[in-house]
Amino acid sequence: MSSCKNLKEKIISVIFSATGAIALLTLMGIFIFLFTTGIKAFSHLSPGEFFAGREWNPAAYQDPKWGILSLLISTAMITLGSLIIAIPLGIAAAIYLSEIARPSIREVVKPVIEMIAGVPSVVLGLLGVLFLAPAIADLFNLSSGLNAFTSSIIVGIMVLPTIISISEDVLRSLPKEFREAGLALGATKWQMIRMTLLPAGLSGLAAATLLGLGRAIGETMVVLMVAGNSRAMPTSFFDPIRPITANIAIEIKEVVKDSLHYQTLFAMGLVLFGLTFLINFISDLIIQKQVRKYQW
Amino acid sequence: MVKTEMISENSKQNIVFMITRAATFFSVVVLFLVFMFVFMEGAAVININFLTKMWSHSDIRQGGIFPALVGSVFLGMGVAIVSIPIGIGTAIYLNEYAKNNLFTRSIKLAIRNLAGIPSIIYGLFGLSFFVLFLQLGTSLVAASLTLGVMTLPWIITASEEALKAVPLSFREGSYALGASKWQTIRGNVLPHSWSGMLTGSILGISRAMGETAPIIVVGATFFMSYLPTSPFDKFMALPYHTFILATQHSSQYARGYALGTALVLICLTFILNLGVFIIRYKLRKKKEW
Amino acid sequence: MKKYILALLLGLIIVTAGCSTQQEVTGAAVGETVKIRESLEIKGSDTMVQVVSALAEEYSRQDTRARMTVTGGGSGTGIAALINGEADIADSSRAMKEKEITEAKERGITPYEFIIARDMLSVVVNEDNPISELTFEQISSIFKGETTNWKEVGGNDQKITLYGRQSTSGTYVFFMEDVVKGDYSQKMRNLEGSQAIVEAVKQDENGVGYDGLGYVVDDEGKIISGIKAIKVARDQNSEYISPLDASKQAKYPISRLLYQYFAKKPEQGSALYNFLRFELSEKGQDIVTKSGFLPITVTEKKLNEQRLG
């Protein structure tokens, strides 16, 4: 009888491990599909042509061009622009929520900020196209507000909740002793925050930034609608840009299965996958270090 | 000497604190602005017709977004079916059964990575695997699977936290009485964590319902003359509908209708979020530990 | 260790079992669909997505068994879908390329071409722009990025902003091959959807874009407020004609046919056939005109009849 029970337990335990395996299999599956399709592009193109080519024009009048440099730079610009907005605002807000605000305010403000994360990106893109872009065009006397600047603002807003909530967690979990020691030495609260907490939590904050970075790289709908989508190499933040995510979203609909164009889009997807994998890896390392240092 | 230093430090602190306060309330103001802008022109468009009639192409003022609502709801259900059992199962495995070995570490790594993958990459994966390789075609089921896989890490993380919140003593007490592992989980752990898992799942589903990029690729359509009745049908969905009203529709009223659809979408998300908030609040009051 | 391999295998089995069950169900569902209802999957041109949706809507009122789905994305999308076997009909605002026809045939699909409407492609600028006439050469040079300032064609001293479609768009390809006759300037902003071009030019005094007539006129056939359509001439010696000028339609230089490609020959009695007939009928062509396009002429009618066989 007890062996029957043991068998049942074993089966249940295996079933649960199988569900765990599914997550692993999925990640591997995504990589495999991206890789096997994307790598075929390189049987026709050289990596140099792909990564360093300055022109992306698969539907060209004469010879198609497959260089993704301007797309990579566009992705870099949107990432940079959105982080310039989100990091200062995010960390400032995290400091406020963690160290300064009354618990009752924190209770209300935190869920509100979480809700921004819940607003669908297509809605933010819509508001960007209809309201923000014309306003910015008027403000800066531009012919059109669909450019890197406007889209950076919106993506920055989208990334903000991530940075705020992780940074706030990081700061809150620093041991009480840090604060007490700083204040006991006669420092003002701000001095204590600046000289004790922030340095201590620096790696955690860096991890939060990296996660924000990952989100910014991966944003698709907002840039699709607001970034202007011109293929030219951007020269300023007021130029229209065409990040990799938007390019894939636009062109995937027109490609014939297994054509070179199809394969190059998957190759681009592989690049994105690699970037986000790398970012996650680095932020993991940072968090491990932080955990070991402060025994969370 | 010290006094003047302290005063300037104090004023510095005041300025800094003002800045941090401003930064926080900036975020709150943004959310408010989002609602306001969408509401301004979108609310005018909403009435019973808008919500319950089929989409009319020739005169969009006559029709409604009913098929998009239905499509989104079906999609939400599909995502729930795909991701909740696997998500909760994985969370139970990681928190209750797993030992600290390579297998477990790989799963945790996989989950963290899946959470960071851009939505359009899920679209590519959904296209090449579910739509083409498994030949499910562009359909509700392909979209549910794609979005389900995307929502998985979210549900796993939320469920894990719910499980972790149950004190160890609950489990130990049960083992002490001679219960097996599964009996313990089922009787002592799950009852206290299911609400956390539920709220996490609802939030995950509401995120999935707001996604546009993957469904552009795996199944959403511009116009359908019928409501989807089988999982293999195409579908209309609220976020995709908003997108095309914003970019493709030629009617001069499209702008208002795009905002109206966006408003419905936000309200749906808001209602789900609010529900979660209420559940959490009520339960926090009940918990005794 | 064994336990984990077992778990992985079990996970794989669950996944593949789920998949193959679905394939069986797919087969059953498809069979049932064919018996009970006829579904038509139409994909393609954004220029045509409005008018085809209107046609589909009206048709499905008459034939309640038909299940119609219409999606845009651009002519390239529709043709790709046709070749991939994902669509029954591809809307296209340009003719299929030789390359595409070969690819289709390689996959066992012979596309049947029908013409369902005519379009006059309009070049639009902001209504405050003093320019109202341009020749082909000027338009081509502007869109190639060779002419960068409005003053070069007699307008204000302002930089020209180019708005165009994505490469998935048949309009993009048609305009490129028939008017620009070269590559678009890299600086051109590739906007999503025909509506976006109108919006952009409305807001930008120095903008210029191209769009199908249907997107440029309102429900009464008048130009949408905020923009104006340029009068186009083939060269400096020809007449400048506006796309809105009903009396001179035959002479407007940038006109094109709007096609539908069918994945197989429409057979009498099938929904495919009935829908096509509806589109070509008086009622259908009425919807075409209401949407801002032009009905087909006798020549095109004859071609269609020939192909129907």
Side-chain angles (χ1 to χ4, degrees):
Chain A
M1 210 185 58
S2 76
S3 67
C4 205
K5 197 164 149 202
N6 271 339
L7 185 63
K8 183 174 155 200
E9 283 295 312
K10 265 213 144 164
I11 293 179
I12 292 182
S13 140
V14 171
I15 292 181
F16 279 121
S17 6
T19 55
I22 290 183
L24 191 56
L25 287 170
T26 307
L27 186 73
M28 290 182 353
I30 295 180
F31 176 70
I32 291 176
F33 269 85
L34 285 180
F35 188 77
T36 49
T37 315
I39 205 73
K40 290 188 197 147
F42 292 107
S43 57
H44 303 273
L45 305 169
S46 74
E49 206 184 328
F50 186 66
F51 287 102
R54 295 176 70 94
E55 202 189 327
W56 172 260
N57 197 355
Y61 195 63
Q62 278 147 345
D63 295 317
K65 297 270 190 314
W66 306 100
I68 66 170
L69 191 62
S70 57
L71 307 178
L72 281 172
I73 292 186
S74 296
T75 302
M77 281 173 79
I78 192 88
T79 311
L80 188 67
S82 57
L83 285 179
I84 288 179
I85 294 178
I87 295 180
L89 281 175
I91 296 190
I95 293 176
Y96 177 74
L97 286 173
S98 152
E99 308 297 321
I100 304 171
R102 288 196 303 276
S104 52
I105 294 195
R106 194 188 304 132
E107 288 281 305
V108 172
V109 171
K110 274 205 84 171
V112 167
I113 291 181
E114 287 299 311
M115 276 205 243
I116 299 182
V119 176
S121 48
V122 65
V123 176
L124 290 173
L126 180 67
L127 292 177
V129 170
L130 295 181
F131 298 111
L132 191 60
I136 291 196
D138 274 339
L139 196 64
F140 292 95
N141 213 13
L142 303 166
S143 51
S144 160
L146 301 176
N147 52 35
F149 184 74
T150 319
S151 35
S152 294
I153 294 180
I154 303 185
V155 178
I157 292 176
M158 291 184 76
V159 168
L160 207 52
T162 309
I163 296 196
I164 293 180
S165 87
I166 298 185
S167 305
E168 201 242 344
D169 281 345
V170 166
L171 290 173
R172 290 249 280 165
S173 61
L174 289 173
K176 243 187 345 168
E177 291 79 31
F178 280 39
R179 294 177 186 77
E180 289 168 357
L183 291 172
L185 288 171
T188 63
K189 205 164 184 185
W190 168 236
Q191 278 177 321
M192 179 269 296
I193 295 175
R194 183 170 51 114
M195 295 190 284
T196 318
L197 291 184
L198 287 183
L202 198 61
S203 35
L205 296 177
T209 306
L210 280 176
L211 286 174
L213 187 97
R215 273 217 70 182
I217 288 185
E219 178 45 44
T220 312
M221 290 317 292
V222 171
V223 293
L224 186 57
M225 294 164 88
V226 186
N229 291 322
S230 142
R231 285 177 286 116
M233 193 73 72
T235 50
S236 96
F237 263 84
F238 288 114
D239 276 345
I241 55 170
R242 194 180 174 102
I244 296 183
T245 45
N247 195 64
I248 297 179
I250 292 165
E251 297 183 2
I252 191 66
K253 298 173 288 173
E254 76 165 318
V255 288
V256 179
K257 229 184 331 184
D258 299 326
S259 63
L260 178 58
H261 196 179
Y262 182 79
Q263 291 162 351
T264 48
L265 289 181
F266 273 76
M268 270 192 257
L270 196 59
V271 168
L272 277 183
F273 180 85
L275 279 173
T276 48
F277 191 84
L278 190 67
I279 290 173
N280 260 297
F281 187 67
I282 296 178
S283 88
D284 264 358
L285 283 179
I286 294 180
I287 291 186
Q288 302 285 20
K289 232 179 61 173
Q290 180 90 353
V291 168
R292 254 175 282 149
K293 250 169 107 180
Y294 297 111
Q295 272 117 16
W296 277 352
Chain B
M1 259 285 265
V2 175
K3 218 173 166 195
T4 37
E5 266 181 23
M6 274 309 287
I7 292 177
S8 87
E9 273 302 321
N10 269 332
S11 38
K12 243 201 266 175
Q13 170 169 290
N14 285 335
I15 296 177
V16 169
F17 281 13
M18 250 187 352
I19 295 178
T20 59
R21 207 173 271 125
T24 313
F25 288 104
F26 170 77
S27 322
V28 175
V29 164
V30 163
L31 186 69
F32 181 70
L33 283 176
V34 166
F35 263 101
M36 193 181 80
F37 275 107
V38 174
F39 193 78
M40 263 180 354
E41 287 182 45
V45 149
I46 295 186
N47 50 44
I48 278 296
N49 268 352
F50 183 69
L51 293 171
T52 53
K53 277 181 117 175
M54 293 294 290
W55 183 248
S56 167
H57 205 78
S58 27
D59 187 354
I60 64 178
R61 288 169 299 169
Q62 303 284 4
I65 56 168
F66 191 59
L69 258 175
V70 166
S72 275
V73 167
F74 279 178
L75 198 57
M77 283 170 19
V79 172
I81 294 175
V82 168
S83 58
I84 293 182
I86 301 182
I88 293 185
T90 311
I92 293 179
Y93 174 70
L94 287 175
N95 208 51
E96 310 292 326
Y97 285 94
K99 304 193 187 53
N100 194 2
N101 53 22
L102 184 62
F103 185 58
T104 310
R105 282 202 297 275
S106 324
I107 296 181
K108 292 196 170 169
L109 181 74
I111 294 172
R112 277 198 297 275
N113 271 290
L114 285 173
I117 294 182
S119 56
I120 189 64
I121 303 289
Y122 278 103
L124 282 183
F125 175 63
L127 178 69
S128 57
F129 186 60
F130 296 119
V131 173
L132 296 175
F133 186 70
L134 291 185
Q135 300 195 335
L136 297 171
T138 52
S139 56
L140 261 176
V141 67
S144 299
L145 284 166
T146 310
L147 289 178
V149 158
M150 207 175 87
T151 317
L152 207 55
W154 184 258
I155 296 190
I156 296 177
T157 316
S159 305
E160 253 192 300
E161 293 198 4
L163 288 169
K164 278 204 186 112
V166 177
L168 225 53
S169 50
F170 279 43
R171 296 176 184 80
E172 288 165 358
S174 172
Y175 292 139
L177 290 171
S180 71
K181 192 156 200 169
W182 173 236
Q183 280 176 326
T184 305
I185 297 178
R186 202 177 53 172
N188 279 48
V189 178
L190 286 183
H192 299 285
S193 52
W194 76 264
S195 54
M197 297 202 259
L198 180 70
T199 53
S201 307
I202 295 178
L203 284 177
I205 306 286
S206 89
R207 284 280 190 96
M209 283 168 78
E211 285 292 333
T212 320
I215 61 176
I216 294 181
V217 182
V218 296
T221 65
F222 182 78
F223 169 76
M224 269 170 74
S225 66
Y226 60 101
L227 289 173
T229 47
S230 117
F232 297 97
D233 281 337
K234 313 278 182 293
F235 58 98
M236 283 169 80
L238 288 172
Y240 184 66
H241 202 67
T242 312
F243 175 62
I244 52 178
L245 279 174
T247 55
Q248 284 182 16
H249 215 285
S250 65
S251 164
Q252 58 221 82
Y253 305 103
R255 176 191 163 117
Y257 280 82
L259 287 165
T261 315
L263 186 57
V264 171
L265 182 58
I266 295 189
C267 285
L268 200 59
T269 320
F270 183 65
I271 291 174
L272 289 171
N273 269 300
L274 197 64
V276 163
F277 188 61
I278 293 177
I279 296 178
R280 277 196 183 145
Y281 186 69
K282 279 198 149 158
L283 284 163
R284 202 120 39 100
K285 291 178 113 180
K286 269 172 74 186
K287 276 213 180 113
E288 289 128 37
W289 68 87
Chain C
M1 194 51 201
K2 260 199 247 172
K3 188 170 158 200
Y4 301 109
I5 301 183
L6 188 61
L8 260 165
L9 279 174
L10 190 57
L12 256 166
I13 294 176
I14 295 178
V15 169
T16 36
C19 300
S20 47
T21 321
Q22 271 151 358
Q23 279 188 307
E24 280 171 20
V25 179
T26 316
V30 166
E32 269 177 43
T33 315
V34 167
K35 270 186 236 152
I36 301 175
R37 294 198 185 90
E38 293 220 51
S39 62
L40 284 182
E41 176 85 25
I42 308 176
K43 266 198 187 153
S45 163
D46 279 337
T47 306
M48 293 166 67
V49 75
Q50 309 287 327
V51 62
V52 175
S53 295
L55 286 165
E57 188 186 330
E58 190 55 43
Y59 177 74
S60 62
R61 287 211 189 109
Q62 298 178 349
D63 181 358
T64 48
R65 280 176 325 144
R67 289 151 68 95
M68 325 271 304
T69 13
V70 183
T71 316
S75 306
T77 308
I79 294 176
L82 198 74
I83 298 178
N84 284 337
E86 288 162 12
D88 301 303
I89 302 179
D91 293 333
S92 179
S93 59
R94 59 168 173 85
M96 247 174 116
K97 301 180 189 161
E98 275 303 319
K99 211 173 52 146
E100 292 166 337
I101 301 181
T102 325
E103 273 209 74
K105 294 215 174 113
E106 273 173 20
R107 293 173 199 234
I109 298 177
T110 318
Y112 276 80
E113 179 187 280
F114 296 100
I115 304 161
I116 65 163
R118 286 179 300 142
D119 181 23
M120 301 213 283
L121 202 51
S122 320
V123 177
V124 288
V125 294
N126 188 286
E127 66 182 356
D128 291 331
N129 192 322
I131 301 277
S132 54
E133 309 180 329
L134 290 168
T135 63
F136 257 42
E137 212 191 302
Q138 288 173 316
I139 298 176
S140 163
S141 161
I142 288 176
F143 274 93
K144 273 198 226 164
E146 288 161 10
T147 310
T148 51
N149 194 312
W150 282 113
K151 69 175 180 213
E152 294 173 60
V153 289
N156 299 328
D157 184 7
Q158 292 282 355
K159 273 215 167 106
I160 304 180
T161 345
L162 296 173
Y163 295 100
R165 297 285 308 284
Q166 308 285 6
S167 56
T168 48
S169 156
T171 315
Y172 174 104
V173 174
F174 173 80
F175 197 68
M176 181 170 80
E177 288 177 355
D178 267 55
V179 180
V180 179
K181 293 203 180 21
D183 271 317
Y184 286 111
S185 157
Q186 280 208 332
K187 292 216 168 130
M188 182 173 84
R189 290 148 199 260
N190 306 94
L191 302 182
E192 270 297 296
S194 309
Q195 176 64 2
I197 298 204
V198 171
E199 287 293 325
V201 173
K202 250 198 232 182
Q203 289 171 10
D204 184 356
E205 272 178 11
N206 306 313
V208 60
Y210 55 88
D211 229 336
L213 190 61
Y215 281 87
V216 164
V217 297
D218 63 20
D219 295 335
E220 278 121 46
K222 294 211 206 69
I223 192 97
I224 293 183
S225 75
I227 61 175
K228 68 180 183 191
I230 294 278
K231 295 200 188 128
V232 180
R234 277 210 179 272
D235 53 53
Q236 280 171 328
N237 302 319
S238 314
E239 200 186 337
Y240 286 92
I241 306 178
S242 163
L244 303 167
D245 193 344
S247 59
K248 305 215 173 108
Q249 267 168 11
K251 296 205 220 145
Y252 184 70
I254 321 180
S255 69
R256 56 179 179 167
L257 301 172
L258 298 178
Y259 303 90
Q260 277 190 338
Y261 288 93
F262 284 55
K264 55 180 196 248
K265 188 169 174 188
E267 285 172 13
Q268 283 232 10
S270 66
L272 218 56
Y273 182 86
N274 292 337
F275 182 58
L276 180 63
R277 277 279 170 223
F278 173 72
E279 287 178 312
L280 302 174
S281 73
E282 220 187 287
K283 223 175 168 189
Q285 292 291 303
D286 206 33
I287 296 182
V288 164
T289 349
K290 279 219 185 75
S291 304
F293 297 103
L294 303 174
I296 57 178
T297 62
V298 175
T299 338
E300 282 107 38
K301 280 204 190 111
K302 285 216 184 96
L303 271 170
N304 286 336
E305 292 299 327
Q306 265 181 353
R307 292 191 187 129
L308 268 174

